[in-house]
Amino acid sequence: MRRFVLAAIAAIAMGSAAYADTIKVGVIGPFSGPFALQGKNFKAGIDAYMAMHGNKVGDNEIEVIYRDVPQADPARSKSSAQELVVKDHVQYLAGFYFTPDAMAVTPILKQANVPMVIMNAATSAIVTKSPLVVRTSFTTWQTSTPIAKVAHDSGVNKIISVVSDYGPGIDAENAFKAGFEKAGGQVVEAIRMPLSTNDFSPIMQRIKDSGAQGVFAFLPSGPTTLGFVKAYNENGLKTAGIKLFSPGDLTQESDLPALGDAALGMQTTFHYSISHDSPENKAFVAAADKAIGNPAELTFPAVGAFDGMHVIYKMIEATGGKQDAQKAVDAVKGLSWVSPRGPVTIDPDSRHITQNIYLREVAKAADGTYINKEIQTFEKQGDPGLAAAK
Ligand code: PHB
């Protein structure tokens, strides 16, 4: 008894998580600046999950602490993560919209004894940087491989590739090239643009000059993608018959009203559409609409965050709330559930999410809203980029 009391006092003095009944989750994302809507969607997904499943796992109350990293900024992401671990005593780190922000934090996970749940960042290699990383979003290899086949099947043989010059863009370029060449097509030119590019007219001219029949493009969703697709439409590429192929980052639902009818018919491949027809998605969208306030703002990072919370709740359940990062991660290896996006599994070897990838077409719903209408399913896709990442 005496030993127990002493241990308990020592644990309280040290702030040991083993005796605490509040478990803190630190979420890093863009909550201000040009990408604030993407961070707002992290929060909407998390709030929706907690509204549907409660804020407790067993006896442990869950508290989410948000840290704003407005743009891809690895130094700020790392210092925010360190602060969350050391000052706020978070037991889990999550969020991470941009790849460089996730990459910067992987080296501290082991010593901090904290798992990382990636709710968006999409470069294949991130999961190889630490055994404590689990991803509930997607990779650009996963989403850019099927669109290559779609592009070739549509009769296009010569394509120009245009991507943002950083992790997920380079992965997307490689994935598309591999898929398109395998199908018998040719990538005639590959352009990598700085992440900060916001004037796309010169790029549009280069696309026209290339003589390609189509363009493959990846940029991270936000003002970047909206600007790119607008430039494609306004610089006459669409009317000239140069087809645009991309993963769904370029047609996120929150951008569709601003793109208007010019985007109708645009085909993309992606892991999630707000209009996905399932009871799980209807329940999710209802809760997420309520959380975000304005349904027109709801977009895909919300589902990555919602499923990320599911994984964190399972980890807390498996560890009884005690801080044991490896045990927590081991507990979700092979975990399967029905996400709002469809059936998913955490691949036990890579800790990346296996999921359906859908071919979608921008369409107008009966109520006049623009949607990504799912027209084909590529079932149970793993990450084809993992071999390349090793
Ligand atoms: C990333 O930085 O990994 C990233 C960001 C936004 C996207 C896709 C990937 O839409």
Side-chain angles (χ1 to χ4, degrees):
M1 184 62 195
R2 203 179 120 80
R3 264 182 45 207
F4 173 79
V5 171
L6 286 176
I9 289 169
I12 290 161
M14 284 160 54
S16 165
Y19 291 85
D21 60 1
T22 297
I23 296 184
K24 294 180 185 170
V25 179
V27 175
I28 291 177
F31 299 106
S32 69
F35 291 90
L37 186 64
Q38 311 304 112
K40 194 172 178 185
N41 272 276
F42 275 170
K43 187 167 188 303
I46 291 165
D47 287 347
Y49 192 84
M50 295 178 81
M52 288 169 70
H53 300 275
N55 68 341
K56 278 183 130 186
V57 180
D59 293 334
N60 301 295
E61 204 169 297
I62 315 302
E63 185 190 339
V64 182
I65 302 175
Y66 293 92
R67 282 284 177 281
D68 182 21
V69 178
Q71 313 225 18
D73 184 345
R76 183 155 167 190
S77 179
K78 188 172 185 179
S79 61
S80 301
Q82 280 164 331
E83 211 177 279
L84 282 165
V85 167
V86 174
K87 290 203 190 130
D88 298 301
H89 304 289
V90 300
Q91 277 194 47
Y92 295 88
L93 284 167
F96 303 101
Y97 188 69
F98 290 107
T99 289
D101 297 344
M103 285 290 198
V105 172
T106 56
I108 75 160
L109 301 175
K110 193 162 194 251
Q111 207 203 337
N113 190 21
V114 168
M116 171 194 268
V117 178
I118 298 180
M119 295 171 164
N120 188 70
T123 302
S124 287
I126 307 170
V127 291
T128 69
K129 300 299 174 195
S130 162
L132 298 176
V133 177
V134 178
R135 173 160 41 204
T136 58
S137 51
F138 60 98
T139 66
T140 50
W141 266 95
Q142 209 173 20
T143 56
S144 302
T145 298
I147 195 70
K149 190 178 158 10
V150 170
H152 195 260
D153 287 351
S154 79
V156 169
N157 280 308
K158 286 188 191 309
I159 280 231
I160 179 167
S161 161
V162 181
V163 301
S164 296
D165 189 9
Y166 79 124
I170 292 160
D171 275 8
E173 178 191 293
N174 288 329
F176 185 85
K177 188 176 193 299
F180 198 60
E181 286 179 353
K182 194 175 152 212
Q186 190 195 348
V187 176
V188 294
E189 196 178 333
I191 300 175
R192 295 179 181 177
M193 310 170 278
L195 194 48
S196 58
T197 306
N198 54 34
D199 175 10
F200 298 106
S201 300
I203 301 277
M204 295 304 152
Q205 193 55 49
R206 280 180 73 181
I207 295 171
K208 282 191 213 165
D209 293 345
S210 75
Q213 302 156 286
V215 52
F216 167 74
F218 168 82
L219 300 89
S221 276
T224 33
T225 43
L226 182 60
F228 187 89
V229 181
K230 271 193 162 163
Y232 165 81
N233 291 332
E234 287 164 10
N235 285 267
L237 279 80
K238 190 185 152 109
T239 44
I242 301 169
K243 291 185 184 169
L244 175 55
F245 299 97
S246 76
D249 311 74
L250 270 69
T251 61
Q252 65 169 342
E253 283 83 354
S254 54
D255 285 346
L256 294 179
L259 292 172
D261 284 356
L264 287 174
M266 195 175 151
Q267 293 193 342
T268 60
T269 43
F270 217 37
H271 60 298
Y272 179 64
S273 307
I274 306 283
S275 63
H276 180 71
D277 188 13
S278 74
E280 291 80 12
N281 190 47
K282 284 202 173 69
F284 163 72
V285 170
D289 276 352
K290 205 168 159 194
I292 205 158
N294 175 7
E297 289 184 341
L298 192 62
T299 173
F300 66 92
V303 85
F306 182 84
D307 287 326
M309 282 312 278
H310 179 67
V311 162
I312 290 170
Y313 273 39
K314 288 290 172 192
M315 287 173 164
I316 295 169
E317 206 177 285
T319 50
K322 291 198 181 72
Q323 187 159 2
D324 185 339
Q326 191 60 58
K327 190 176 176 186
V329 170
D330 287 345
V332 299
K333 289 179 181 170
L335 182 71
S336 293
W337 71 99
V338 182
S339 154
R341 68 188 93 173
V344 298
T345 300
I346 300 298
D347 179 83
D349 299 321
S350 69
R351 292 159 275 106
H352 172 68
I353 194 162
T354 299
Q355 59 192 335
N356 294 343
I357 298 297
Y358 305 91
L359 173 63
R360 314 96 45 82
E361 192 170 286
V362 177
K364 232 178 205 169
D367 66 357
T369 57
Y370 295 99
I371 60 167
N372 286 301
K373 186 172 184 232
E374 290 173 0
I375 54 177
Q376 191 186 334
T377 304
F378 300 86
E379 279 181 13
K380 288 193 187 154
Q381 303 291 297
D383 181 15
L386 282 167
K390 276 176 188 157

